[in-house]
Amino acid sequence: APGSAAPGSAAPELLEAPDPVYPESHRTIGIEPTVHLHVTVELDGRVSDVHVEHPGDPELDQAAIEAVQRWRFAPARREGQPVRA
């Protein structure tokens, strides 16, 4: 909740989020899936440790993973210092 973080603490902030490349084999299906991922944001804002929360279509899951690996964040902070989150 806003205002609940300790002073000098902040969650990661999304800076850049390229869209996934929709698999060619799925372009004519006409669905817009939602893929839930768990990721770690490193000290430098890169994404690591990407895991699909509820695996579904393997091609769509992989497209989401590849997209989020290109995302960049301002890292989380604790007591003013960058931390993995």
Side-chain angles (χ1 to χ4, degrees):
S4 64
S9 296
E13 180 183 340
L14 184 60
L15 300 175
E16 183 180 342
D19 289 334
V21 175
Y22 203 72
E24 193 66 40
S25 60
H26 288 68
R27 288 188 191 274
T28 59
I29 296 174
I31 60 170
E32 293 186 19
T34 299
V35 178
H36 294 266
L37 302 171
H38 289 275
V39 304
T40 299
V41 176
E42 297 293 338
L43 298 176
D44 64 1
R46 289 179 301 116
V47 171
S48 68
D49 301 325
V50 181
H51 302 284
V52 178
E53 184 176 322
H54 301 288
D57 183 297
E59 288 184 85
L60 297 174
D61 290 350
Q62 187 60 38
I65 290 168
E66 289 172 4
V68 80
Q69 288 174 329
R70 296 189 313 265
W71 290 13
R72 294 295 175 260
F73 291 81
R77 295 195 172 273
R78 185 177 304 129
E79 296 178 5
Q81 298 299 311
V83 293
R84 294 176 81 218

